Amino acid sequence: MKITKDLYQGSLALLTDFYQLTMAYAYWKSGKAEQEAVFNLFFRKHPFQSGFTIAAGLEYVVDFCNNFYFKDDDLSYLGQMKNADGSPVFESTFLAYLKSLNFTCDIDAVEEGTVVFPHTPLISVKGPLIQCQLLETALLNIINFQTLIATKSARVVLAAKGDSVLEFGLRRAQGIDGALAASRASYIGGCAATSNVMAGKLFGIPVSGTHAHSWIMSFDSELEAFKAYADAFPEKCVFLVDTYDTVAGIKNAIEVGKILREKGKEMLGVRIDSGDLAYFSNIAREMLDEAGFQDAQVVASNDLDEHIITSLKIQEASVSVWGVGTKLVTAYDQPALGAVYKLAAIKNQNGVWEPKVKVSQQSIKTNIPGKHQVSRFLKNGRAVADMIFLKEYMEGKTSTTIIDPIDPTKRKRINFEDFEEINLLKPIFRKGTQVYDCLKIDAIKQNAQDNLMYFDKTHKRLTNPHVYPVGLEESLYQLRTALVFKMKNYDK
Amino acid sequence: MKITKDLYQGSLALLTDFYQLTMAYAYWKSGKAEQEAVFNLFFRKHPFQSGFTIAAGLEYVVDFCNNFYFKDDDLSYLGQMKNADGSPVFESTFLAYLKSLNFTCDIDAVEEGTVVFPHTPLISVKGPLIQCQLLETALLNIINFQTLIATKSARVVLAAKGDSVLEFGLRRAQGIDGALAASRASYIGGCAATSNVMAGKLFGIPVSGTHAHSWIMSFDSELEAFKAYADAFPEKCVFLVDTYDTVAGIKNAIEVGKILREKGKEMLGVRIDSGDLAYFSNIAREMLDEAGFQDAQVVASNDLDEHIITSLKIQEASVSVWGVGTKLVTAYDQPALGAVYKLAAIKNQNGVWEPKVKVSQQSIKTNIPGKHQVSRFLKNGRAVADMIFLKEYMEGKTSTTIIDPIDPTKRKRINFEDFEEINLLKPIFRKGTQVYDCLKIDAIKQNAQDNLMYFDKTHKRLTNPHVYPVGLEESLYQLRTALVFKMKNYDK
């Protein structure tokens, strides 16, 4: 999959906030364009009050970076921008510089499908300040949305407790790529298929669907409509039974199911898209069983999410396949993940790396300085804690303490020899060259499932989950505290 | 703007639910593919508990229809789909039929920027059943999202009471087009500019932006950073003052403002992106005024929406420009509009048009049959009611009664000679040929402003708005009731 080639017309370099270009110009004017910097992309809170988040979107990012260049018409567009006094906003020599710009950054990232937590970098970019800045907005757009939806999908799939979940969201999704990227991320999170044919083609994921109410209404009777569908698709009959009267619809489905059976074919099931799903799914199950269609499935749809599925399960609804649309692909109860991309270190004029913090009025907005690695510690196949650290501070250490970045009284002692240790950040680009083979979509989906297995079920509870410990390695914690005190001019 | 040409790689025909293709195949198998039908696209409830909705997305729809064809690789993709028994899902003669398919529909639609209400068609499609069906999902995807965001934007702009609103949402938007289409729709709804450079280029809308916290952090001090920015962009200085300490930041901005003034340039303002915006905006205003910068603006951002802006206005915050991001471009409090696309009439084998209704368990899901027109009645430049009707029932009538589609006890008598009457649905395509010149983006924005002026301010109130009357013309109401009774086998 190459979104820039298969879907879009080449480079998406202009998919950025204008202030990235004004800063780029000002960096260039100040002679700072090539100064080396490190930026980390991370979020501060799980979405949906979840206990976990599933990283997604890296393949889009890789493709974006591999095709990062300014097209001639991009530069013409920038060239015609004028200040209030009629002078051009950007000097032509700057536009020539942009034209010659090659992507040369190092990028580390967690693999797609990895379970991640607040404060840990999903992506770390090291390179010339101007490039780091020009990548920011697109990386955030891609990672924020796909990570949000992969997480929502994983939650819906957990609620379905082994039943298939089908993603049906295209018609209510937020724009064209809002649908396509959501279908991809939903599959990563565990959905079995999408209704979106273009997503099927672009990403190689299964597509599914049978017929709508309009099919029924275009015939003189529902029975006639079911019969005609069975003639066209004897292998794929899931009859939508609620166009006029759900119980009568189930009777008609059974009648056509019997005709199919005479021809050696089996009806796959019925779908209910309105009314009380607990009530009608049980009626459908009883009627199907009584008529000898024990294997026919009851598919339910209509504004489902993880909470409604859980409620229907508690009520013992007889649903075996869940069609989930709007509330999945728009992440209805929290439609944005607030990941940010913050300057964490810069190389000064003497070639020395300086860690950087932003000290906000709001403590949670204070970032973690430096170029991080993240370790996940496992014991007997179970994750016990994640540690954010700076490699240069770890030499010779056999144990350390990790400290919660928000509440420093929450700490955990780690003896390294007690645990299996996994480094989450992998090299993706080195000096602008891709050094990582993106996982295939089914491997990403598997990675998400495998990753979730590391975590106790209390972390995966859909409401009020048990908080998984993630901390700053103590020397990184001390560095951050010292920098904050320095910025605030406190005596220590 | 041609999204299919300037952004995407040609036809988006596969941007559809798989069931549209299985139904298309089954229509074709049943000999019904070319049977004429009418489908209406409408929504059932305003988003955000709003009293109005702004229609948007038609230009995308026009472009989608003008480029509606199946590419060879689309057909190869469909051709390789297999049933469980290994047989192909679609016969090759059907794929050849799809290849030869030309768009030949009639389409009527309300113009972009029009104020619209529940139950009235935003788009009406008349044409061969198979084409009507294959357009459904993309039309819903486009219209649902852009209408949602144009409406949200209009609400935010109403809250700002004449202040400029800038759309900053790209980094948190739902995917690439989730951002681009949102920038377009936000501009239609009244925003002054977007941060999204690609949206600026594609749609010809103004872009804006200055610098981020990272600009400040890349220098040894904030003052140095402001000075360097002022050197690069003396015309465009809006200084972000909250990287370390907001009050100190305002002092530094004033110091650089004075340097600019010595060079004959004026600082445009300061931006505050965190902390208590009511508190800090008033401090900023006082400090700027005292230093002689009465014209410098205070720009505020940070999770704003119409309700927070209203609250800040009530608190007399000194904000004159509002940067609105996440909550606007994702329509955070209701991230999907539930517009649907329903079969409303079909031409039977004798060439007679039959109106159609779907009778659901949920009364609100019962559609309005037939090929509609919608009239808006104005008196002294003020809209008093909208009427949904069938042209064929209106001949010779000089007055009628309109009846609420949900509550039939709500009625309004209309004498046509008392009002100016505007038909909202315009011809867009006839037999597949475009007969409408899409409005330019600035004309759409103006149309939205002009349309809003027709409505009393109580309909535009952001909470608990006064409900504007929209009704079915009485003969259409009677037709619908008779059809529902017939479908439910009630004696009349």
Side-chain angles (χ1 to χ4, degrees):
Chain A
M1 187 272 303
K2 298 245 182 295
I3 55 156
T4 50
K5 181 175 146 295
D6 296 337
L7 180 58
Y8 292 107
Q9 297 283 15
S11 168
L12 294 169
L14 283 198
L15 189 76
T16 189
D17 290 310
F18 188 60
Y19 78 6
Q20 309 290 6
L21 284 160
T22 54
M23 282 193 283
Y25 178 72
Y27 284 131
W28 177 80
K29 288 283 279 187
S30 328
K32 287 169 67 79
E34 308 283 338
Q35 193 176 354
E36 292 263 306
V38 170
F39 283 73
N40 291 323
L41 188 156
F42 60 94
F43 60 89
R44 297 175 180 128
K45 275 178 73 180
H46 291 299
F48 324 118
Q49 304 185 295
S50 177
F52 67 90
T53 293
I54 306 277
L58 182 60
E59 189 177 4
Y60 265 56
V61 167
V62 167
D63 183 49
F64 174 81
C65 292
N66 276 327
N67 294 282
F68 184 83
Y69 62 93
F70 289 90
K71 296 189 277 192
D72 287 340
D73 58 342
D74 295 341
L75 297 168
S76 311
Y77 172 70
L78 299 177
Q80 55 74 41
M81 288 184 168
K82 298 280 188 285
N83 289 316
D85 67 358
S87 61
V89 173
F90 301 109
E91 290 175 23
S92 60
T93 40
F94 173 66
L95 299 177
Y97 174 82
L98 285 187
K99 188 174 166 69
S100 69
L101 200 67
N102 284 319
F103 172 70
T104 59
C105 295
D106 288 357
I107 292 186
D108 291 350
V110 300
E111 294 192 282
E112 290 192 273
T114 303
V115 169
V116 288
F117 296 91
H119 307 292
T120 62
L122 275 58
I123 297 187
S124 183
V125 179
K126 184 179 126 187
L129 201 40
I130 195 168
Q131 291 186 41
C132 293
Q133 205 79 72
L134 289 170
L135 298 177
E136 172 175 1
T137 315
L139 265 54
L140 284 170
N141 175 274
I142 293 166
I143 298 293
N144 264 326
F145 183 53
Q146 295 200 33
T147 299
L148 181 78
I149 302 300
T151 307
K152 187 70 175 173
S153 168
R155 287 168 60 80
V156 171
V157 169
L158 281 169
K161 294 184 180 292
D163 299 340
S164 283
V165 177
L166 310 174
E167 175 270 306
F168 280 177
L170 170 54
R171 64 189 52 205
R172 305 271 169 87
Q174 296 207 344
I176 294 168
D177 186 61
L180 291 167
S183 296
R184 178 178 189 274
S186 295
Y187 188 69
I188 289 172
C191 283
T194 179
S195 70
N196 185 334
V197 184
M198 188 173 273
K201 180 187 171 205
L202 278 174
F203 307 125
I205 60 184
V207 297
S208 79
T210 49
H211 66 83
H213 296 115
S214 54
W215 171 263
I216 309 298
M217 290 163 70
S218 79
F219 287 82
D220 288 334
S221 77
E222 186 181 63
L223 187 64
E224 199 186 322
F226 287 172
K227 283 180 180 166
Y229 195 83
D231 283 342
F233 282 110
E235 311 278 346
K236 282 188 180 299
C237 285
V238 177
F239 297 116
L240 179 60
V241 292
D242 69 342
T243 306
Y244 303 119
D245 176 289
T246 304
V247 174
I250 300 166
K251 277 187 198 148
N252 285 331
I254 288 170
E255 185 171 336
V256 180
K258 288 177 178 165
I259 297 170
L260 277 168
R261 198 172 269 177
E262 282 166 19
K263 297 180 185 167
K265 305 288 183 184
E266 273 298 302
M267 160 170 73
L268 298 181
V270 298
R271 178 160 76 95
I272 305 170
D273 186 43
S274 63
D276 193 293
L277 296 176
Y279 179 77
F280 285 110
S281 69
N282 284 333
I283 287 186
R285 186 71 272 153
E286 278 170 32
M287 289 172 68
L288 289 166
D289 287 353
E290 205 165 295
F293 291 96
Q294 286 83 356
D295 290 341
Q297 298 195 294
V298 178
V299 185
S301 48
N302 196 16
D303 277 347
L304 299 173
D305 66 10
E306 66 272 43
H307 304 296
I308 295 173
I309 292 174
T310 299
S311 162
L312 286 166
K313 288 266 181 195
I314 290 169
Q315 296 172 70
E316 300 184 323
S318 298
V319 175
S320 47
V321 177
W322 305 86
V324 184
T326 312
K327 297 207 168 159
L328 168 55
V329 301
T330 65
Y332 203 86
D333 53 334
Q334 190 193 314
L337 179 68
V340 295
Y341 176 94
K342 291 290 171 192
L343 179 68
I346 195 159
K347 202 184 252 181
N348 70 18
Q349 286 160 332
N350 306 320
V352 177
W353 280 99
E354 290 180 1
K356 285 282 181 178
V357 288
K358 167 179 176 290
V359 184
S360 169
Q361 303 288 342
Q362 297 156 270
S363 300
I364 197 174
K365 286 195 169 184
T366 301
N367 67 298
I368 301 162
K371 177 151 177 53
H372 310 151
Q373 179 52 277
V374 182
S375 281
R376 176 158 296 162
F377 295 104
L378 305 177
K379 191 154 196 170
N380 304 323
R382 188 52 50 109
V384 295
D386 285 8
M387 173 177 80
I388 305 169
F389 64 99
L390 302 177
K391 273 189 203 159
E392 57 267 34
Y393 290 171
M394 298 308 289
E395 226 164 279
K397 282 192 182 172
T398 57
S399 70
T400 189
T401 297
I402 61 171
I403 303 171
D404 184 276
I406 305 300
D407 177 359
T409 67
K410 290 169 78 176
R411 298 175 177 227
K412 195 178 185 89
R413 189 78 200 154
I414 306 274
N415 288 306
F416 299 146
E417 65 175 14
D418 295 345
F419 300 102
E420 184 190 346
E421 182 177 354
I422 301 171
N423 283 338
L424 297 188
L425 286 165
K426 315 279 183 192
I428 310 296
F429 285 94
R430 284 296 173 266
K431 297 189 195 307
T433 301
Q434 187 180 337
V435 295
Y436 172 79
D437 287 332
C438 288
L439 298 177
K440 299 267 183 281
I441 190 87
D442 285 299
I444 297 171
K445 185 179 190 178
Q446 189 60 52
N447 191 38
Q449 294 309 305
D450 293 349
N451 252 266
L452 282 168
M453 291 297 290
Y454 290 140
F455 293 87
D456 189 74
K457 66 181 179 186
T458 58
H459 299 306
K460 293 178 276 193
R461 194 164 50 219
L462 298 178
T463 47
N464 297 321
H466 179 195
V467 177
Y468 176 79
V470 176
L472 306 189
E473 195 276 329
E474 59 186 345
S475 46
L476 173 57
Y477 179 80
Q478 285 153 9
L479 169 72
R480 186 204 200 198
T481 308
L483 280 170
V484 171
F485 284 175
K486 189 178 158 204
M487 297 314 306
K488 293 195 170 177
N489 297 314
Y490 290 163
D491 287 322
K492 278 195 288 183
Chain B
M1 187 274 304
K2 297 245 182 295
I3 56 156
T4 51
K5 181 175 146 294
D6 296 337
L7 181 59
Y8 291 107
Q9 296 283 13
S11 168
L12 293 169
L14 283 198
L15 189 76
T16 189
D17 290 309
F18 188 58
Y19 78 6
Q20 310 289 6
L21 285 159
T22 54
M23 282 192 283
Y25 178 70
Y27 284 129
W28 177 79
K29 289 283 279 187
S30 328
K32 286 167 67 80
E34 307 284 338
Q35 192 175 355
E36 292 264 307
V38 169
F39 283 72
N40 291 323
L41 189 156
F42 61 94
F43 60 88
R44 297 177 181 125
K45 275 178 75 180
H46 289 299
F48 323 119
Q49 306 186 292
S50 177
F52 67 89
T53 293
I54 305 277
L58 182 61
E59 190 179 3
Y60 264 56
V61 167
V62 167
D63 185 49
F64 174 81
C65 292
N66 276 329
N67 293 281
F68 184 83
Y69 62 92
F70 289 90
K71 295 189 277 191
D72 288 340
D73 59 342
D74 295 341
L75 297 168
S76 311
Y77 172 70
L78 299 177
Q80 54 76 40
M81 289 185 167
K82 297 280 187 287
N83 290 314
D85 67 358
S87 62
V89 171
F90 301 109
E91 290 175 24
S92 59
T93 41
F94 173 68
L95 299 178
Y97 173 82
L98 286 186
K99 188 174 165 68
S100 69
L101 199 66
N102 284 319
F103 172 71
T104 59
C105 296
D106 288 358
I107 293 186
D108 292 350
V110 300
E111 294 193 282
E112 290 193 272
T114 304
V115 169
V116 288
F117 296 90
H119 308 292
T120 62
L122 275 59
I123 297 187
S124 182
V125 180
K126 184 178 127 187
L129 202 39
I130 197 168
Q131 291 186 40
C132 292
Q133 204 80 71
L134 288 169
L135 298 178
E136 172 174 1
T137 316
L139 265 52
L140 284 169
N141 175 275
I142 293 166
I143 297 295
N144 264 325
F145 182 52
Q146 295 199 34
T147 300
L148 181 78
I149 303 301
T151 307
K152 188 72 175 172
S153 169
R155 287 168 61 80
V156 171
V157 169
L158 280 170
K161 293 182 181 294
D163 298 341
S164 284
V165 178
L166 309 174
E167 177 269 306
F168 280 178
L170 170 54
R171 63 189 53 205
R172 305 271 169 88
Q174 296 210 341
I176 295 168
D177 186 62
L180 291 167
S183 296
R184 178 178 189 275
S186 295
Y187 188 69
I188 290 172
C191 284
T194 178
S195 70
N196 185 335
V197 185
M198 188 174 274
K201 180 186 170 204
L202 278 174
F203 308 124
I205 60 185
V207 297
S208 79
T210 49
H211 66 83
H213 297 115
S214 54
W215 172 263
I216 308 297
M217 291 163 70
S218 78
F219 288 82
D220 289 335
S221 77
E222 186 181 63
L223 187 63
E224 199 184 323
F226 287 172
K227 284 180 181 167
Y229 195 82
D231 283 343
F233 283 109
E235 312 278 346
K236 282 187 181 298
C237 285
V238 178
F239 297 116
L240 178 61
V241 293
D242 69 341
T243 307
Y244 304 121
D245 176 288
T246 305
V247 174
I250 300 166
K251 278 187 198 149
N252 284 331
I254 288 170
E255 186 170 337
V256 180
K258 288 177 178 164
I259 298 172
L260 276 168
R261 197 170 271 178
E262 283 166 17
K263 298 180 184 166
K265 306 285 181 184
E266 272 298 302
M267 160 169 75
L268 299 182
V270 298
R271 178 160 75 95
I272 305 170
D273 186 43
S274 63
D276 193 295
L277 296 176
Y279 180 77
F280 285 110
S281 68
N282 284 332
I283 288 187
R285 185 72 272 152
E286 279 169 31
M287 290 173 68
L288 289 166
D289 287 353
E290 205 165 296
F293 292 95
Q294 286 84 354
D295 291 340
Q297 298 196 292
V298 178
V299 185
S301 48
N302 197 16
D303 276 347
L304 298 174
D305 65 11
E306 67 270 44
H307 303 297
I308 296 172
I309 292 173
T310 298
S311 162
L312 286 165
K313 287 267 179 194
I314 290 169
Q315 295 172 71
E316 300 184 323
S318 299
V319 175
S320 48
V321 178
W322 306 86
V324 184
T326 312
K327 297 206 168 158
L328 168 55
V329 301
T330 66
Y332 203 86
D333 54 335
Q334 189 192 316
L337 179 68
V340 294
Y341 177 93
K342 292 291 171 191
L343 179 67
I346 194 158
K347 201 186 252 180
N348 70 18
Q349 285 161 332
N350 306 321
V352 177
W353 280 100
E354 290 180 3
K356 287 280 181 179
V357 288
K358 168 179 176 290
V359 184
S360 170
Q361 303 288 339
Q362 296 156 271
S363 300
I364 198 176
K365 285 195 168 183
T366 300
N367 67 297
I368 300 163
K371 177 147 179 52
H372 310 151
Q373 179 54 277
V374 182
S375 281
R376 175 158 298 162
F377 294 103
L378 305 178
K379 190 154 197 168
N380 303 324
R382 187 53 48 107
V384 294
D386 284 7
M387 172 178 80
I388 305 169
F389 64 100
L390 302 177
K391 273 189 205 160
E392 57 268 33
Y393 290 172
M394 297 308 288
E395 227 163 277
K397 282 193 184 174
T398 56
S399 70
T400 188
T401 297
I402 60 170
I403 303 172
D404 185 276
I406 305 300
D407 177 359
T409 66
K410 290 169 78 176
R411 297 173 178 224
K412 197 179 184 87
R413 189 78 200 157
I414 306 275
N415 287 306
F416 299 147
E417 66 176 15
D418 295 345
F419 300 102
E420 183 189 347
E421 182 177 352
I422 301 172
N423 283 338
L424 296 188
L425 286 165
K426 313 278 184 194
I428 310 298
F429 284 94
R430 285 295 174 265
K431 297 189 194 307
T433 300
Q434 187 180 339
V435 295
Y436 171 79
D437 286 333
C438 287
L439 298 177
K440 300 266 183 279
I441 190 86
D442 285 299
I444 298 171
K445 186 180 189 177
Q446 189 60 50
N447 191 37
Q449 293 310 307
D450 293 348
N451 252 264
L452 282 168
M453 291 297 289
Y454 290 141
F455 293 88
D456 188 75
K457 66 182 180 187
T458 59
H459 300 307
K460 295 178 275 192
R461 192 163 52 218
L462 297 178
T463 47
N464 298 321
H466 179 194
V467 177
Y468 176 78
V470 176
L472 307 189
E473 194 277 329
E474 59 187 345
S475 47
L476 173 58
Y477 179 79
Q478 286 155 8
L479 170 72
R480 186 202 199 198
T481 307
L483 279 170
V484 172
F485 284 176
K486 188 178 159 202
M487 297 314 306
K488 292 194 169 177
N489 297 312
Y490 290 162
D491 287 322
K492 279 195 287 180

